[in-house]
Amino acid sequence: MALTTIQVDVEVRDRLKAIADASHTSIKQVVARMAAQTLTPAELAERQTRGRAAMAANGVVIDDDPADPDRQAAHAFWAGLEGDAS
């Protein structure tokens, strides 16, 4: 596989180095792990679709009403999985 260079600020490079050192690995491996673990918007939408289908198969349907408590709970659940603090 061909290698390439990614330009980042010094602060980002230093943070990646600290993460790599703490994991006894390389910056290359840290970046590869981040890329593998981070979902694209399309992947996230597909997982949400599968999740909704699985919930519907178990009799749980999330209403489109933003005030629906089940919908709010589901959004909180997804936010937790995605690491979104909002």
Side-chain angles (χ1 to χ4, degrees):
M1 181 183 323
L3 298 178
T4 188
T5 300
I6 299 172
Q7 294 183 355
V8 297
D9 294 334
V10 172
E11 295 81 12
V12 172
R13 183 210 53 209
D14 292 348
R15 178 152 177 85
L16 288 170
K17 176 80 169 104
I19 293 167
D21 289 348
S23 302
H24 305 289
T25 189
S26 67
I27 291 176
K28 176 183 172 182
Q29 289 171 319
V30 169
V31 172
R33 184 174 58 232
M34 283 185 202
Q37 293 175 347
T38 303
L39 297 177
T40 66
E43 291 167 333
L44 179 57
E46 196 274 327
R47 283 194 184 188
Q48 288 173 333
T49 299
R50 283 191 327 215
R52 285 180 186 271
M55 288 188 289
N58 288 296
V60 177
V61 178
I62 299 174
D63 193 335
D64 283 335
D65 176 7
D68 177 33
D70 288 336
R71 181 185 173 117
Q72 292 173 351
H75 278 287
F77 175 78
W78 282 112
L81 287 179
E82 297 164 9
D84 185 4
S86 60

